[in-house]
Amino acid sequence: MGEGRPVILLHGLFSSAHVNWVKFGTAAQLAAAGFECLMPDLRAHGASAAPHDPAAYPPDVLVRDLEAMIRHYGLTDYDLVGFSLGSRTSARAVIAGARPRRLVLGGMGLEGLAGWLRRQAFFGEVLDKFGTIRPGERGYPAQQFLKTMGTDPAAARLLLGTMDDTDPAALAAITMPTLVLCGDQDNDNGSADRLAEVLPDARLAVIPGTHMSSVTEPAMGAELVSFLTA
């Protein structure tokens, strides 16, 4: 979508590019500001393939997919924006050597990177009990979101196994200007304040919303445009 400076937008866990970036107008705001929005559906999400072969899920496969996309388009001067799982993928890609001009880590706190295995265990439990969790029980909202999105539980379970914790010391490799962008009621991935503090060149922006609702806010696109055009 759009023409101009390329910006890669990576969506959140169990979501899709359409839901995170298109449906609520965020990509349209970026396109109107002169950006070309590259919005893949991550492996096992949205319209992307969701294979059941474990060989299709090597460690950090989403980082490998992002690296392959950057090579495919020959990108050398681009910006990178993630939300939740997209932020984890973006941060780990930069640590592995990706070099966007500017980076945005949305819906992410320090514990969502350095303490991911706890979150992974929660989502693994939801997937293992998929279809049997009743209203009011732990994991019910996540189960219902999975159903709404048409997520393949078996593929999602394999994908979860590709992800690992990120050593906080490794975050020193994220040296480009970085925006930590989080809803004012979003603590799902830990402290956004702490994440902004440990990154070498980061600032924090807070918009209205929870982890689920912040992507629906016009403020999401407005903050992205402001940071990426500064």
Side-chain angles (χ1 to χ4, degrees):
M1 175 184 289
E3 296 180 357
R5 179 179 185 77
V7 55
I8 301 173
L9 303 168
L10 301 183
H11 64 76
L13 185 65
F14 306 144
S15 190
S16 69
H18 177 78
V19 169
N20 268 183
W21 310 121
V22 178
K23 184 176 181 179
F24 301 104
T26 300
Q29 290 186 62
L30 286 164
F35 290 90
E36 179 185 14
C37 299
L38 305 177
M39 302 175 285
D41 279 341
L42 302 179
R43 187 175 299 219
H45 289 77
S48 284
H52 288 186
D53 181 359
Y57 299 92
D60 262 340
V61 67
L62 296 183
V63 172
R64 298 184 189 199
D65 287 345
L66 175 58
E67 291 169 340
M69 177 182 175
I70 292 169
R71 288 194 303 271
H72 175 78
Y73 286 107
L75 300 178
T76 58
D77 186 19
Y78 62 95
D79 296 314
L80 179 58
V81 175
F83 182 81
S84 195
L85 174 59
S87 291
R88 291 194 73 260
T89 303
S90 297
R92 290 180 69 83
V94 170
I95 291 168
R99 285 295 174 262
R101 180 192 65 118
R102 291 191 168 219
L103 174 68
V104 179
L105 302 178
M108 184 53 61
L110 180 60
E111 294 79 5
L113 293 170
W116 163 251
L117 293 182
R118 290 190 294 273
R119 290 285 284 166
Q120 184 186 62
F122 165 74
F123 288 120
E125 179 183 343
V126 171
L127 289 165
D128 291 342
K129 296 181 177 179
F130 184 77
T132 68
I133 306 173
R134 301 180 63 82
E137 294 181 348
R138 170 183 161 90
Y140 180 76
Q143 173 188 265
Q144 298 312 104
F145 185 64
L146 282 161
K147 288 183 176 181
T148 299
M149 294 301 300
T151 302
D152 183 321
R157 194 69 178 87
L158 287 168
L159 183 65
L160 279 182
T162 71
M163 305 174 196
D164 203 350
D165 273 344
T166 301
D167 184 346
L171 298 176
I174 302 177
T175 57
M176 66 284 300
T178 300
L179 177 67
V180 178
L181 179 59
C182 198
D184 59 1
Q185 300 175 62
D186 181 5
N187 297 303
D188 282 25
N189 281 311
S191 171
D193 297 80
R194 290 186 64 198
L195 177 58
E197 287 171 2
V198 302
L199 294 173
D201 185 8
R203 70 173 180 85
L204 173 68
V206 178
I207 62 174
T210 63
H211 194 68
M212 294 293 288
S213 69
S214 59
V215 298
T216 73
E217 294 286 341
M220 171 74 75
E223 288 289 349
L224 293 179
V225 169
S226 176
F227 176 68
L228 295 178
T229 57

mmCIF file of all heavy atoms in Angstrom, residues 61-109:
data_model
loop_
_atom_site.group_PDB
_atom_site.id
_atom_site.type_symbol
_atom_site.label_atom_id
_atom_site.label_comp_id
_atom_site.label_asym_id
_atom_site.label_seq_id
_atom_site.Cartn_x
_atom_site.Cartn_y
_atom_site.Cartn_z
ATOM 1 N N VAL A 61 12.292 -18.893 13.127
ATOM 2 C CA VAL A 61 11.883 -18.946 11.718
ATOM 3 C C VAL A 61 11.293 -17.617 11.243
ATOM 4 O O VAL A 61 11.465 -17.241 10.072
ATOM 5 C CB VAL A 61 10.897 -20.110 11.472
ATOM 6 C CG1 VAL A 61 9.570 -19.876 12.190
ATOM 7 C CG2 VAL A 61 10.669 -20.316 9.982
ATOM 8 N N LEU A 62 10.627 -16.883 12.128
ATOM 9 C CA LEU A 62 10.052 -15.609 11.700
ATOM 10 C C LEU A 62 11.137 -14.584 11.400
ATOM 11 O O LEU A 62 10.981 -13.745 10.502
ATOM 12 C CB LEU A 62 9.081 -15.077 12.750
ATOM 13 C CG LEU A 62 7.838 -15.935 13.010
ATOM 14 C CD1 LEU A 62 6.927 -15.250 14.021
ATOM 15 C CD2 LEU A 62 7.081 -16.228 11.711
ATOM 16 N N VAL A 63 12.234 -14.635 12.136
ATOM 17 C CA VAL A 63 13.369 -13.765 11.830
ATOM 18 C C VAL A 63 13.948 -14.152 10.472
ATOM 19 O O VAL A 63 14.265 -13.290 9.641
ATOM 20 C CB VAL A 63 14.447 -13.863 12.928
ATOM 21 C CG1 VAL A 63 15.706 -13.115 12.520
ATOM 22 C CG2 VAL A 63 13.903 -13.302 14.238
ATOM 23 N N ARG A 64 14.062 -15.437 10.216
ATOM 24 C CA ARG A 64 14.573 -15.902 8.917
ATOM 25 C C ARG A 64 13.643 -15.445 7.789
ATOM 26 O O ARG A 64 14.107 -15.047 6.714
ATOM 27 C CB ARG A 64 14.691 -17.426 8.918
ATOM 28 C CG ARG A 64 15.651 -17.982 9.953
ATOM 29 C CD ARG A 64 15.778 -19.476 9.816
ATOM 30 N NE ARG A 64 16.529 -20.065 10.916
ATOM 31 C CZ ARG A 64 17.100 -21.277 10.871
ATOM 32 N NH1 ARG A 64 17.000 -22.011 9.765
ATOM 33 N NH2 ARG A 64 17.746 -21.753 11.904
ATOM 34 N N ASP A 65 12.339 -15.522 8.029
ATOM 35 C CA ASP A 65 11.384 -15.080 7.014
ATOM 36 C C ASP A 65 11.538 -13.585 6.733
ATOM 37 O O ASP A 65 11.475 -13.142 5.577
ATOM 38 C CB ASP A 65 9.955 -15.373 7.466
ATOM 39 C CG ASP A 65 9.600 -16.854 7.410
ATOM 40 O OD1 ASP A 65 10.332 -17.631 6.763
ATOM 41 O OD2 ASP A 65 8.576 -17.242 8.018
ATOM 42 N N LEU A 66 11.725 -12.792 7.784
ATOM 43 C CA LEU A 66 11.905 -11.357 7.607
ATOM 44 C C LEU A 66 13.192 -11.077 6.830
ATOM 45 O O LEU A 66 13.211 -10.238 5.916
ATOM 46 C CB LEU A 66 11.930 -10.660 8.969
ATOM 47 C CG LEU A 66 12.238 -9.161 8.949
ATOM 48 C CD1 LEU A 66 11.232 -8.390 8.100
ATOM 49 C CD2 LEU A 66 12.264 -8.612 10.388
ATOM 50 N N GLU A 67 14.257 -11.763 7.189
ATOM 51 C CA GLU A 67 15.517 -11.575 6.465
ATOM 52 C C GLU A 67 15.359 -11.920 4.987
ATOM 53 O O GLU A 67 15.889 -11.223 4.109
ATOM 54 C CB GLU A 67 16.603 -12.444 7.105
ATOM 55 C CG GLU A 67 17.010 -11.977 8.500
ATOM 56 C CD GLU A 67 17.887 -12.982 9.218
ATOM 57 O OE1 GLU A 67 17.899 -14.175 8.838
ATOM 58 O OE2 GLU A 67 18.576 -12.576 10.178
ATOM 59 N N ALA A 68 14.604 -12.993 4.706
ATOM 60 C CA ALA A 68 14.372 -13.389 3.317
ATOM 61 C C ALA A 68 13.552 -12.332 2.581
ATOM 62 O O ALA A 68 13.800 -12.052 1.396
ATOM 63 C CB ALA A 68 13.660 -14.737 3.269
ATOM 64 N N MET A 69 12.593 -11.721 3.257
ATOM 65 C CA MET A 69 11.784 -10.668 2.638
ATOM 66 C C MET A 69 12.644 -9.449 2.309
ATOM 67 O O MET A 69 12.525 -8.869 1.218
ATOM 68 C CB MET A 69 10.654 -10.277 3.588
ATOM 69 C CG MET A 69 9.786 -9.139 3.092
ATOM 70 S SD MET A 69 8.524 -8.708 4.319
ATOM 71 C CE MET A 69 7.790 -7.280 3.508
ATOM 72 N N ILE A 70 13.516 -9.063 3.230
ATOM 73 C CA ILE A 70 14.398 -7.914 2.996
ATOM 74 C C ILE A 70 15.306 -8.181 1.793
ATOM 75 O O ILE A 70 15.501 -7.306 0.940
ATOM 76 C CB ILE A 70 15.222 -7.609 4.261
ATOM 77 C CG1 ILE A 70 14.292 -7.095 5.376
ATOM 78 C CG2 ILE A 70 16.321 -6.595 3.975
ATOM 79 C CD1 ILE A 70 14.947 -7.022 6.745
ATOM 80 N N ARG A 71 15.828 -9.406 1.699
ATOM 81 C CA ARG A 71 16.666 -9.763 0.545
ATOM 82 C C ARG A 71 15.841 -9.772 -0.739
ATOM 83 O O ARG A 71 16.300 -9.281 -1.781
ATOM 84 C CB ARG A 71 17.305 -11.141 0.755
ATOM 85 C CG ARG A 71 18.412 -11.175 1.794
ATOM 86 C CD ARG A 71 19.200 -12.464 1.697
ATOM 87 N NE ARG A 71 18.354 -13.653 1.853
ATOM 88 C CZ ARG A 71 18.089 -14.217 3.024
ATOM 89 N NH1 ARG A 71 18.602 -13.728 4.145
ATOM 90 N NH2 ARG A 71 17.332 -15.297 3.076
ATOM 91 N N HIS A 72 14.645 -10.322 -0.674
ATOM 92 C CA HIS A 72 13.798 -10.447 -1.867
ATOM 93 C C HIS A 72 13.510 -9.080 -2.489
ATOM 94 O O HIS A 72 13.551 -8.928 -3.717
ATOM 95 C CB HIS A 72 12.497 -11.144 -1.500
ATOM 96 C CG HIS A 72 11.503 -11.207 -2.629
ATOM 97 N ND1 HIS A 72 11.615 -12.109 -3.664
ATOM 98 C CD2 HIS A 72 10.399 -10.466 -2.890
ATOM 99 C CE1 HIS A 72 10.625 -11.938 -4.515
ATOM 100 N NE2 HIS A 72 9.871 -10.946 -4.076
ATOM 101 N N TYR A 73 13.225 -8.101 -1.662
ATOM 102 C CA TYR A 73 12.903 -6.763 -2.169
ATOM 103 C C TYR A 73 14.149 -5.883 -2.327
ATOM 104 O O TYR A 73 14.033 -4.731 -2.750
ATOM 105 C CB TYR A 73 11.893 -6.085 -1.246
ATOM 106 C CG TYR A 73 10.495 -6.654 -1.387
ATOM 107 C CD1 TYR A 73 9.962 -7.465 -0.392
ATOM 108 C CD2 TYR A 73 9.726 -6.390 -2.509
ATOM 109 C CE1 TYR A 73 8.685 -8.004 -0.519
ATOM 110 C CE2 TYR A 73 8.449 -6.919 -2.649
ATOM 111 C CZ TYR A 73 7.939 -7.724 -1.651
ATOM 112 O OH TYR A 73 6.669 -8.264 -1.782
ATOM 113 N N GLY A 74 15.301 -6.422 -1.971
ATOM 114 C CA GLY A 74 16.535 -5.652 -2.100
ATOM 115 C C GLY A 74 16.538 -4.399 -1.238
ATOM 116 O O GLY A 74 17.089 -3.370 -1.641
ATOM 117 N N LEU A 75 15.971 -4.481 -0.041
ATOM 118 C CA LEU A 75 15.842 -3.307 0.817
ATOM 119 C C LEU A 75 17.160 -2.997 1.506
ATOM 120 O O LEU A 75 17.754 -3.852 2.167
ATOM 121 C CB LEU A 75 14.754 -3.534 1.867
ATOM 122 C CG LEU A 75 13.345 -3.820 1.343
ATOM 123 C CD1 LEU A 75 12.391 -4.081 2.507
ATOM 124 C CD2 LEU A 75 12.836 -2.679 0.483
ATOM 125 N N THR A 76 17.611 -1.760 1.351
ATOM 126 C CA THR A 76 18.812 -1.300 2.043
ATOM 127 C C THR A 76 18.531 -0.073 2.896
ATOM 128 O O THR A 76 19.296 0.245 3.805
ATOM 129 C CB THR A 76 19.929 -0.965 1.043
ATOM 130 O OG1 THR A 76 19.447 0.030 0.132
ATOM 131 C CG2 THR A 76 20.357 -2.208 0.274
ATOM 132 N N ASP A 77 17.438 0.626 2.615
ATOM 133 C CA ASP A 77 17.064 1.833 3.355
ATOM 134 C C ASP A 77 15.563 1.756 3.617
ATOM 135 O O ASP A 77 14.760 2.048 2.734
ATOM 136 C CB ASP A 77 17.420 3.076 2.543
ATOM 137 C CG ASP A 77 17.176 4.365 3.336
ATOM 138 O OD1 ASP A 77 17.092 4.294 4.577
ATOM 139 O OD2 ASP A 77 17.038 5.425 2.701
ATOM 140 N N TYR A 78 15.208 1.342 4.812
ATOM 141 C CA TYR A 78 13.809 1.065 5.137
ATOM 142 C C TYR A 78 13.602 1.264 6.629
ATOM 143 O O TYR A 78 14.551 1.348 7.407
ATOM 144 C CB TYR A 78 13.438 -0.373 4.748
ATOM 145 C CG TYR A 78 14.236 -1.420 5.506
ATOM 146 C CD1 TYR A 78 13.742 -2.010 6.665
ATOM 147 C CD2 TYR A 78 15.521 -1.786 5.092
ATOM 148 C CE1 TYR A 78 14.495 -2.943 7.371
ATOM 149 C CE2 TYR A 78 16.273 -2.707 5.791
ATOM 150 C CZ TYR A 78 15.751 -3.292 6.933
ATOM 151 O OH TYR A 78 16.494 -4.203 7.647
ATOM 152 N N ASP A 79 12.340 1.324 7.026
ATOM 153 C CA ASP A 79 11.982 1.371 8.439
ATOM 154 C C ASP A 79 11.269 0.070 8.799
ATOM 155 O O ASP A 79 10.711 -0.620 7.935
ATOM 156 C CB ASP A 79 11.074 2.572 8.726
ATOM 157 C CG ASP A 79 11.781 3.897 8.472
ATOM 158 O OD1 ASP A 79 12.933 4.049 8.915
ATOM 159 O OD2 ASP A 79 11.185 4.777 7.817
ATOM 160 N N LEU A 80 11.275 -0.266 10.076
ATOM 161 C CA LEU A 80 10.717 -1.525 10.543
ATOM 162 C C LEU A 80 9.819 -1.272 11.748
ATOM 163 O O LEU A 80 10.249 -0.654 12.728
ATOM 164 C CB LEU A 80 11.853 -2.486 10.913
ATOM 165 C CG LEU A 80 11.487 -3.869 11.441
ATOM 166 C CD1 LEU A 80 10.625 -4.642 10.447
ATOM 167 C CD2 LEU A 80 12.759 -4.662 11.761
ATOM 168 N N VAL A 81 8.584 -1.721 11.659
ATOM 169 C CA VAL A 81 7.583 -1.517 12.710
ATOM 170 C C VAL A 81 7.005 -2.871 13.102
ATOM 171 O O VAL A 81 6.575 -3.643 12.235
ATOM 172 C CB VAL A 81 6.442 -0.593 12.225
ATOM 173 C CG1 VAL A 81 5.343 -0.491 13.291
ATOM 174 C CG2 VAL A 81 6.979 0.784 11.865
ATOM 175 N N GLY A 82 6.969 -3.165 14.385
ATOM 176 C CA GLY A 82 6.351 -4.391 14.863
ATOM 177 C C GLY A 82 5.337 -4.115 15.946
ATOM 178 O O GLY A 82 5.397 -3.084 16.622
ATOM 179 N N PHE A 83 4.414 -5.042 16.094
ATOM 180 C CA PHE A 83 3.490 -5.013 17.224
ATOM 181 C C PHE A 83 3.474 -6.387 17.863
ATOM 182 O O PHE A 83 3.257 -7.396 17.190
ATOM 183 C CB PHE A 83 2.075 -4.614 16.782
ATOM 184 C CG PHE A 83 1.112 -4.525 17.942
ATOM 185 C CD1 PHE A 83 1.087 -3.392 18.734
ATOM 186 C CD2 PHE A 83 0.285 -5.589 18.267
ATOM 187 C CE1 PHE A 83 0.237 -3.315 19.838
ATOM 188 C CE2 PHE A 83 -0.564 -5.524 19.363
ATOM 189 C CZ PHE A 83 -0.590 -4.386 20.144
ATOM 190 N N SER A 84 3.725 -6.441 19.171
ATOM 191 C CA SER A 84 3.682 -7.688 19.939
ATOM 192 C C SER A 84 4.630 -8.724 19.332
ATOM 193 O O SER A 84 5.844 -8.521 19.338
ATOM 194 C CB SER A 84 2.237 -8.192 20.019
ATOM 195 O OG SER A 84 2.098 -9.187 21.008
ATOM 196 N N LEU A 85 4.120 -9.824 18.776
ATOM 197 C CA LEU A 85 4.998 -10.800 18.139
ATOM 198 C C LEU A 85 5.839 -10.146 17.053
ATOM 199 O O LEU A 85 7.012 -10.487 16.869
ATOM 200 C CB LEU A 85 4.168 -11.940 17.538
ATOM 201 C CG LEU A 85 4.933 -12.971 16.707
ATOM 202 C CD1 LEU A 85 6.009 -13.647 17.532
ATOM 203 C CD2 LEU A 85 3.973 -13.990 16.110
ATOM 204 N N GLY A 86 5.263 -9.194 16.334
ATOM 205 C CA GLY A 86 6.026 -8.465 15.323
ATOM 206 C C GLY A 86 7.179 -7.692 15.930
ATOM 207 O O GLY A 86 8.246 -7.546 15.308
ATOM 208 N N SER A 87 6.992 -7.189 17.150
ATOM 209 C CA SER A 87 8.082 -6.492 17.841
ATOM 210 C C SER A 87 9.177 -7.459 18.273
ATOM 211 O O SER A 87 10.370 -7.156 18.149
ATOM 212 C CB SER A 87 7.539 -5.739 19.060
ATOM 213 O OG SER A 87 6.733 -4.661 18.669
ATOM 214 N N ARG A 88 8.783 -8.614 18.783
ATOM 215 C CA ARG A 88 9.782 -9.630 19.146
ATOM 216 C C ARG A 88 10.605 -10.005 17.915
ATOM 217 O O ARG A 88 11.834 -10.095 17.964
ATOM 218 C CB ARG A 88 9.118 -10.901 19.675
ATOM 219 C CG ARG A 88 8.452 -10.773 21.024
ATOM 220 C CD ARG A 88 8.141 -12.149 21.603
ATOM 221 N NE ARG A 88 9.378 -12.783 22.053
ATOM 222 C CZ ARG A 88 10.048 -13.702 21.380
ATOM 223 N NH1 ARG A 88 9.644 -14.100 20.203
ATOM 224 N NH2 ARG A 88 11.153 -14.219 21.883
ATOM 225 N N THR A 89 9.911 -10.232 16.801
ATOM 226 C CA THR A 89 10.585 -10.617 15.568
ATOM 227 C C THR A 89 11.519 -9.507 15.097
ATOM 228 O O THR A 89 12.665 -9.758 14.693
ATOM 229 C CB THR A 89 9.546 -10.942 14.487
ATOM 230 O OG1 THR A 89 8.667 -11.977 14.970
ATOM 231 C CG2 THR A 89 10.210 -11.392 13.201
ATOM 232 N N SER A 90 11.044 -8.271 15.162
ATOM 233 C CA SER A 90 11.849 -7.131 14.716
ATOM 234 C C SER A 90 13.094 -6.970 15.573
ATOM 235 O O SER A 90 14.205 -6.769 15.060
ATOM 236 C CB SER A 90 11.012 -5.854 14.754
ATOM 237 O OG SER A 90 9.915 -5.937 13.866
ATOM 238 N N ALA A 91 12.922 -7.025 16.894
ATOM 239 C CA ALA A 91 14.067 -6.853 17.794
ATOM 240 C C ALA A 91 15.105 -7.941 17.570
ATOM 241 O O ALA A 91 16.312 -7.671 17.490
ATOM 242 C CB ALA A 91 13.595 -6.855 19.247
ATOM 243 N N ARG A 92 14.664 -9.180 17.444
ATOM 244 C CA ARG A 92 15.609 -10.280 17.256
ATOM 245 C C ARG A 92 16.269 -10.218 15.879
ATOM 246 O O ARG A 92 17.421 -10.618 15.724
ATOM 247 C CB ARG A 92 14.907 -11.616 17.496
ATOM 248 C CG ARG A 92 14.552 -11.822 18.972
ATOM 249 C CD ARG A 92 13.855 -13.138 19.229
ATOM 250 N NE ARG A 92 14.730 -14.282 19.055
ATOM 251 C CZ ARG A 92 15.575 -14.751 19.978
ATOM 252 N NH1 ARG A 92 15.684 -14.144 21.154
ATOM 253 N NH2 ARG A 92 16.315 -15.817 19.740
ATOM 254 N N ALA A 93 15.545 -9.689 14.881
ATOM 255 C CA ALA A 93 16.149 -9.524 13.560
ATOM 256 C C ALA A 93 17.260 -8.479 13.593
ATOM 257 O O ALA A 93 18.316 -8.656 12.975
ATOM 258 C CB ALA A 93 15.079 -9.138 12.541
ATOM 259 N N VAL A 94 17.022 -7.386 14.319
ATOM 260 C CA VAL A 94 18.060 -6.358 14.439
ATOM 261 C C VAL A 94 19.268 -6.921 15.176
ATOM 262 O O VAL A 94 20.422 -6.697 14.782
ATOM 263 C CB VAL A 94 17.510 -5.105 15.138
ATOM 264 C CG1 VAL A 94 18.635 -4.136 15.480
ATOM 265 C CG2 VAL A 94 16.472 -4.417 14.255
ATOM 266 N N ILE A 95 19.025 -7.666 16.244
ATOM 267 C CA ILE A 95 20.130 -8.288 16.975
ATOM 268 C C ILE A 95 20.913 -9.223 16.056
ATOM 269 O O ILE A 95 22.147 -9.323 16.147
ATOM 270 C CB ILE A 95 19.589 -9.040 18.206
ATOM 271 C CG1 ILE A 95 19.055 -8.036 19.240
ATOM 272 C CG2 ILE A 95 20.670 -9.930 18.828
ATOM 273 C CD1 ILE A 95 18.249 -8.670 20.352
ATOM 274 N N ALA A 96 20.204 -9.868 15.117
ATOM 275 C CA ALA A 96 20.854 -10.800 14.182
ATOM 276 C C ALA A 96 21.545 -10.089 13.021
ATOM 277 O O ALA A 96 22.237 -10.737 12.232
ATOM 278 C CB ALA A 96 19.820 -11.786 13.640
ATOM 279 N N GLY A 97 21.326 -8.765 12.890
ATOM 280 C CA GLY A 97 22.053 -8.039 11.865
ATOM 281 C C GLY A 97 21.236 -7.153 10.953
ATOM 282 O O GLY A 97 21.807 -6.418 10.136
ATOM 283 N N ALA A 98 19.904 -7.192 11.031
ATOM 284 C CA ALA A 98 19.084 -6.294 10.213
ATOM 285 C C ALA A 98 19.354 -4.847 10.626
ATOM 286 O O ALA A 98 19.573 -4.561 11.806
ATOM 287 C CB ALA A 98 17.602 -6.618 10.369
ATOM 288 N N ARG A 99 19.303 -3.925 9.667
ATOM 289 C CA ARG A 99 19.634 -2.540 9.970
ATOM 290 C C ARG A 99 18.617 -1.557 9.373
ATOM 291 O O ARG A 99 18.906 -0.845 8.414
ATOM 292 C CB ARG A 99 21.043 -2.210 9.450
ATOM 293 C CG ARG A 99 22.148 -2.802 10.319
ATOM 294 C CD ARG A 99 22.136 -2.181 11.709
ATOM 295 N NE ARG A 99 23.094 -2.809 12.624
ATOM 296 C CZ ARG A 99 22.765 -3.742 13.494
ATOM 297 N NH1 ARG A 99 21.530 -4.184 13.556
ATOM 298 N NH2 ARG A 99 23.674 -4.236 14.306
ATOM 299 N N PRO A 100 17.419 -1.522 9.928
ATOM 300 C CA PRO A 100 16.474 -0.490 9.499
ATOM 301 C C PRO A 100 16.965 0.890 9.923
ATOM 302 O O PRO A 100 17.742 1.012 10.875
ATOM 303 C CB PRO A 100 15.185 -0.870 10.236
ATOM 304 C CG PRO A 100 15.658 -1.588 11.458
ATOM 305 C CD PRO A 100 16.877 -2.352 11.017
ATOM 306 N N ARG A 101 16.500 1.916 9.219
ATOM 307 C CA ARG A 101 16.853 3.288 9.604
ATOM 308 C C ARG A 101 16.254 3.617 10.959
ATOM 309 O O ARG A 101 16.931 4.165 11.842
ATOM 310 C CB ARG A 101 16.350 4.274 8.551
ATOM 311 C CG ARG A 101 16.671 5.743 8.849
ATOM 312 C CD ARG A 101 15.902 6.663 7.932
ATOM 313 N NE ARG A 101 14.477 6.575 8.158
ATOM 314 C CZ ARG A 101 13.703 7.590 8.564
ATOM 315 N NH1 ARG A 101 14.236 8.777 8.803
ATOM 316 N NH2 ARG A 101 12.408 7.429 8.730
ATOM 317 N N ARG A 102 14.971 3.315 11.129
ATOM 318 C CA ARG A 102 14.263 3.515 12.391
ATOM 319 C C ARG A 102 13.453 2.269 12.718
ATOM 320 O O ARG A 102 13.018 1.556 11.814
ATOM 321 C CB ARG A 102 13.356 4.748 12.339
ATOM 322 C CG ARG A 102 14.132 6.052 12.282
ATOM 323 C CD ARG A 102 13.259 7.275 12.494
ATOM 324 N NE ARG A 102 14.120 8.444 12.698
ATOM 325 C CZ ARG A 102 13.873 9.411 13.572
ATOM 326 N NH1 ARG A 102 12.785 9.377 14.316
ATOM 327 N NH2 ARG A 102 14.712 10.422 13.707
ATOM 328 N N LEU A 103 13.245 2.058 14.011
ATOM 329 C CA LEU A 103 12.581 0.857 14.496
ATOM 330 C C LEU A 103 11.464 1.254 15.448
ATOM 331 O O LEU A 103 11.634 2.156 16.278
ATOM 332 C CB LEU A 103 13.601 -0.026 15.226
ATOM 333 C CG LEU A 103 13.087 -1.276 15.940
ATOM 334 C CD1 LEU A 103 12.594 -2.308 14.934
ATOM 335 C CD2 LEU A 103 14.194 -1.876 16.818
ATOM 336 N N VAL A 104 10.324 0.572 15.345
ATOM 337 C CA VAL A 104 9.222 0.768 16.289
ATOM 338 C C VAL A 104 8.871 -0.573 16.916
ATOM 339 O O VAL A 104 8.619 -1.555 16.209
ATOM 340 C CB VAL A 104 7.975 1.360 15.608
ATOM 341 C CG1 VAL A 104 6.844 1.526 16.637
ATOM 342 C CG2 VAL A 104 8.296 2.699 14.945
ATOM 343 N N LEU A 105 8.864 -0.610 18.237
ATOM 344 C CA LEU A 105 8.467 -1.796 18.991
ATOM 345 C C LEU A 105 7.155 -1.480 19.688
ATOM 346 O O LEU A 105 7.123 -0.813 20.723
ATOM 347 C CB LEU A 105 9.557 -2.178 19.996
ATOM 348 C CG LEU A 105 10.948 -2.460 19.392
ATOM 349 C CD1 LEU A 105 11.948 -2.776 20.505
ATOM 350 C CD2 LEU A 105 10.890 -3.586 18.373
ATOM 351 N N GLY A 106 6.051 -1.928 19.091
ATOM 352 C CA GLY A 106 4.724 -1.659 19.635
ATOM 353 C C GLY A 106 4.214 -2.814 20.480
ATOM 354 O O GLY A 106 4.507 -3.979 20.208
ATOM 355 N N GLY A 107 3.436 -2.485 21.518
ATOM 356 C CA GLY A 107 2.846 -3.515 22.352
ATOM 357 C C GLY A 107 3.866 -4.420 23.010
ATOM 358 O O GLY A 107 3.621 -5.608 23.220
ATOM 359 N N MET A 108 5.013 -3.863 23.364
ATOM 360 C CA MET A 108 6.109 -4.680 23.882
ATOM 361 C C MET A 108 6.758 -4.024 25.088
ATOM 362 O O MET A 108 6.956 -2.813 25.121
ATOM 363 C CB MET A 108 7.161 -4.881 22.787
ATOM 364 C CG MET A 108 8.312 -5.801 23.166
ATOM 365 S SD MET A 108 7.801 -7.417 23.800
ATOM 366 C CE MET A 108 6.913 -8.079 22.392
ATOM 367 N N GLY A 109 7.058 -4.854 26.096
ATOM 368 C CA GLY A 109 7.829 -4.425 27.252
ATOM 369 C C GLY A 109 9.071 -5.284 27.378
ATOM 370 O O GLY A 109 9.262 -6.250 26.619
#
